Amino acid sequence: MDHDFSILREKLTNILGGDNLITDARECAYYSQDVYSEAPYVTKAVLRPANIGELSAAVRAVTAARFALFPRGGGMSYTSGYLPSRERAVTLDLTRMDRILEINLQDMYITVEAGCRWVDIYQALKDKGVRPPFWGTLSGLYATVGGGVSQNSIFFGTGLYGTAADSVIGLQVVGADGEIIRTGSAAVKGGTEFFRHYGPDLTGIFTGDTGALGIKAILTLKLIANPPHRCFGSFCFDRYEDMLPVMSEISRCGLASECFGFDPYLQKQRMKRESLSRDLKNLGGVMRASGGVIEAFKRGSKLAMAGRRYMKDVNFSFHVTTENRHKAAAEGDLELIRKIVTGAGGQEIENSIPTLINANPFMPVNNMIGPEGERWVPVHAVVPHSRAVTLMRAMEDLFCNHAGKIEQYGIGIGYLLTTIGQSAVLLEPVFFWPDALKEFHRRHVEKQVLKTIKEFPENLKIREFVQQVRQQLTQLCLDHAAVHFQIGRTYLYSEGLDLGSLDLVRSIKRHMDPYGLINPGALGLAGSKGPAGNGSTPGE
């Protein structure tokens, strides 16, 4: 194999240049980690193409040498979605492909390379009066558009407009043989990227595929007029059984562009994590986002006065943003939300959380560890409104069954709850446990935060227990017919799909990747052993 790789390395050096073919052992080990896992194999090299031509040529060279390719965006994943599952592996780092290629204000689309970050789009469009309907993830300071569409991400705009994939018009995808495939109206000879649907929706095939069907190189997103007026509200309930139906009603009515909630534990984690100095720094964003000096002073002073004590006696809380081109309409939607909440027995609280998040949307990713340096990992499920409370109760029952060990091991579990469009709810249990941090955490968490946390020793026993509970959760989600984002090698996609649909997905995989060399194991396709602690991925 060393001889094979030496030949491949020479070819790749000619394509990419020596500086963009990384073989340093420490760097290769880093690229073989994500937020949660380490791969069982360390990648042989990291390829950093500068454009779609270099990407196509590199893919063709790698697959011709029968090495497997593992595409990676910003790396903000926890499902082993880009980790090497074979010894003959190389990693594609697409972050050099970060250009915004076109902003078309007449036909209302933006075309970017896959390594462009969500924050880059935000900065490029903020003075143009437009934005994509879905406009980024909370990790958008690092997370790329290609990665977000491959994983199918949520957050900003999700309450009204759905997921990252819902804002995509068209793609340019590189197949295993280096061929470039166009989707949407740009696939028509002489066409442009203005429309997604023309015959079968080829764009949809490659969204949410975790890079298993092809490598996204260029993406086009639709644009909408950016509503200039936003209002923020926060509310609390004693029980999630009362809060979740209210969030669902707000979702069905299409009242909030973001609607997300926390359980008591996750709220406490947030209050512990953030500092007064950080809040005061963030107030600058609030002041800049406010309309006029008087309004800026009023909003900034209100948040400063509220501080963090206002959450002390809050049990379950949720937070909303309403938006409209007319101020009165945005205020009217928030007033409707207030009526829904009070009618169900909830109360309004200070709106610091949504106000600060919207004023400073792309913050450092310090949340990938706990406030004292604990390891962190979530599991999530997406269900219709009618099944949200039932699944939440089932999750609670599962944790009750493990209550003894959870307490013994010092494991904390909280929930993030989010609505998606008008039809779905995301339930996301989040685990915190004492364990050693990895190189991945040390490169992404701010240095001033790392200086203030505890250093826990490695604890494989607790980590293994957390993984066992996560596996039981994923099975529970399957039993409740839930679906998932960033499927990677963690969620039970192949096991849960009906045979006809699975056969179709497998046939597309065989067509795009006949030797099973593009991210083998992702989606449970082209079977291979998953990373340590994540079990095995089923074969075809």
Side-chain angles (χ1 to χ4, degrees):
M1 186 183 67
D2 289 342
H3 175 69
D4 292 346
F5 180 67
S6 296
I7 295 173
L8 175 60
R9 179 167 54 189
E10 183 177 350
K11 292 180 179 178
L12 291 173
T13 300
N14 290 334
I15 295 169
L16 305 172
D19 291 342
N20 295 303
L21 178 65
I22 300 170
T23 57
D24 175 76
R26 182 178 177 183
E27 288 301 297
C28 287
Y30 161 71
Y31 276 92
S32 302
Q33 303 176 10
D34 66 8
V35 177
Y36 176 59
S37 298
E38 294 175 282
Y41 303 102
V42 174
T43 188
K44 296 296 180 186
V46 179
L47 285 55
R48 304 188 70 237
N51 52 56
I52 193 171
E54 287 187 7
L55 173 61
S56 173
V59 169
R60 187 181 303 113
V62 171
T63 57
R66 297 297 184 262
F67 277 74
L69 270 167
F70 295 86
R72 182 185 189 274
M76 299 289 108
S77 177
Y78 60 89
T79 59
S80 306
Y82 58 78
L83 300 190
S85 59
R86 295 183 181 181
E87 187 175 4
R88 295 171 65 93
V90 297
T91 296
L92 271 173
D93 175 3
L94 297 176
T95 55
R96 283 186 72 219
M97 294 177 56
D98 61 355
R99 293 178 300 166
I100 294 174
L101 300 176
E102 182 182 8
I103 298 172
N104 191 316
L105 299 181
Q106 183 174 11
D107 296 330
M108 294 295 280
Y109 64 80
I110 180 171
T111 299
V112 303
E113 291 179 317
C116 181
R117 302 171 301 162
W118 293 104
V119 68
D120 298 327
I121 292 180
Y122 176 76
Q123 294 292 343
L125 296 178
K126 67 179 181 179
D127 295 327
K128 298 185 182 299
V130 296
R131 72 158 207 243
F134 170 89
W135 52 280
T137 65
L138 286 170
S139 57
L141 192 63
Y142 290 99
T144 65
V145 178
V149 172
S150 294
Q151 304 281 22
N152 205 4
S153 302
I154 62 167
F155 201 75
F156 292 112
T158 285
L160 291 177
Y161 302 106
T163 70
D166 292 321
S167 290
V168 179
I169 296 175
L171 303 168
Q172 292 186 45
V173 179
V174 176
D177 59 358
E179 181 183 6
I180 298 171
I181 298 167
R182 294 175 179 264
T183 73
S185 57
V188 178
K189 296 175 182 177
T192 62
E193 301 93 335
F194 75 99
F195 203 69
R196 173 163 169 166
H197 298 283
Y198 183 50
D201 181 16
L202 300 182
T203 301
I205 291 173
F206 298 104
T207 63
D209 72 335
T210 69
L213 301 180
I215 299 161
K216 279 162 279 297
I218 296 174
L219 304 93
T220 299
L221 309 177
K222 68 178 75 172
L223 296 175
I224 62 171
N226 193 12
H229 299 287
R230 289 185 173 86
C231 295
F232 309 104
S234 294
F235 308 89
C236 67
F237 284 85
D238 290 334
R239 307 184 322 139
Y240 68 80
E241 292 94 338
D242 300 318
M243 188 175 81
L244 279 170
V246 167
M247 293 176 67
S248 291
E249 180 62 16
I250 293 166
S251 171
R252 284 190 291 267
C253 294
L255 295 174
S257 57
E258 293 97 42
C259 180
F260 60 96
F262 306 111
D263 78 310
Y265 181 82
L266 207 56
Q267 284 171 176
K268 290 177 182 177
Q269 292 293 85
R270 182 178 178 85
M271 296 302 108
K272 288 165 61 178
R273 182 191 309 275
E274 301 296 341
S275 67
L276 178 60
S277 61
R278 172 58 61 86
D279 276 353
L280 292 175
K281 181 180 179 181
N282 289 350
L283 283 176
V286 175
M287 304 290 261
R288 290 190 296 273
S290 298
V293 175
I294 295 176
E295 180 65 20
F297 178 79
K298 287 168 60 179
R299 291 180 69 186
S301 299
K302 188 178 180 183
L303 293 184
M305 290 287 290
R308 292 187 168 271
R309 289 173 294 178
Y310 77 97
M311 294 292 281
K312 181 179 178 181
D313 298 321
V314 170
N315 207 18
F316 289 85
S317 71
F318 78 95
H319 313 272
V320 299
T321 302
T322 65
E323 58 182 29
N324 201 281
R325 68 185 63 203
H326 303 293
K327 183 178 180 181
E331 292 173 343
D333 285 345
L334 183 57
E335 187 58 34
L336 285 174
I337 290 173
R338 289 190 178 106
K339 290 179 180 179
I340 294 171
V341 170
T342 56
Q347 294 181 325
E348 188 166 9
I349 58 177
E350 179 55 50
N351 63 6
S352 300
I353 290 176
T355 303
L356 289 169
I357 287 176
N358 272 266
N360 303 274
F362 302 115
M363 296 295 290
V365 290
N366 300 323
N367 288 359
M368 68 169 58
I369 63 173
E372 296 182 359
E374 306 96 328
R375 290 286 297 275
W376 166 96
V377 71
V379 172
H380 75 266
V382 181
V383 292
H385 298 301
S386 57
R387 297 187 182 185
V389 171
T390 300
L391 180 53
M392 186 85 165
R393 284 175 178 155
M395 289 177 170
E396 289 283 274
D397 289 342
L398 190 154
F399 296 139
C400 283
N401 292 337
H402 294 289
K405 282 193 173 181
I406 288 173
E407 183 178 0
Q408 175 188 346
Y409 290 152
I411 298 169
I413 300 173
Y415 290 89
L416 172 67
L417 312 167
T418 310
T419 61
I420 303 170
Q422 280 71 58
S423 62
V425 177
L426 178 140
L427 311 177
E428 185 171 86
V430 179
F431 295 81
F432 297 86
W433 74 98
D435 199 354
L437 300 182
K438 300 297 183 182
E439 179 70 11
F440 189 95
H441 305 105
R442 300 188 186 283
R443 292 202 187 189
H444 291 286
V445 176
E446 290 180 297
K447 287 183 172 55
Q448 60 263 36
V449 173
L450 292 173
K451 290 178 181 178
T452 64
I453 62 171
K454 296 179 181 178
E455 286 289 336
F456 293 101
E458 188 169 57
N459 200 319
L460 297 178
K461 187 175 183 179
I462 298 180
R463 195 185 310 170
E464 182 180 351
F465 174 74
V466 169
Q467 179 56 25
Q468 289 172 359
V469 178
R470 291 182 76 233
Q471 288 174 335
Q472 292 175 24
L473 270 174
T474 58
Q475 183 60 55
L476 180 69
C477 293
L478 179 59
D479 295 341
H480 284 256
V483 299
H484 306 280
F485 304 127
Q486 55 174 303
I487 297 162
R489 296 170 177 79
T490 293
Y491 294 108
L492 304 176
Y493 176 77
S494 294
E495 293 90 334
L497 222 55
D498 69 69
L499 290 179
S501 299
L502 182 57
D503 284 345
L504 179 58
V505 173
R506 285 173 170 168
S507 68
I508 295 170
K509 173 70 171 175
R510 285 192 293 268
H511 175 81
M512 292 296 302
D513 182 21
Y515 294 101
L517 296 171
I518 303 296
N519 209 2
L523 299 182
L525 304 176
S528 63
K529 274 286 183 182
N534 279 354
S536 61
T537 306
E540 297 184 58

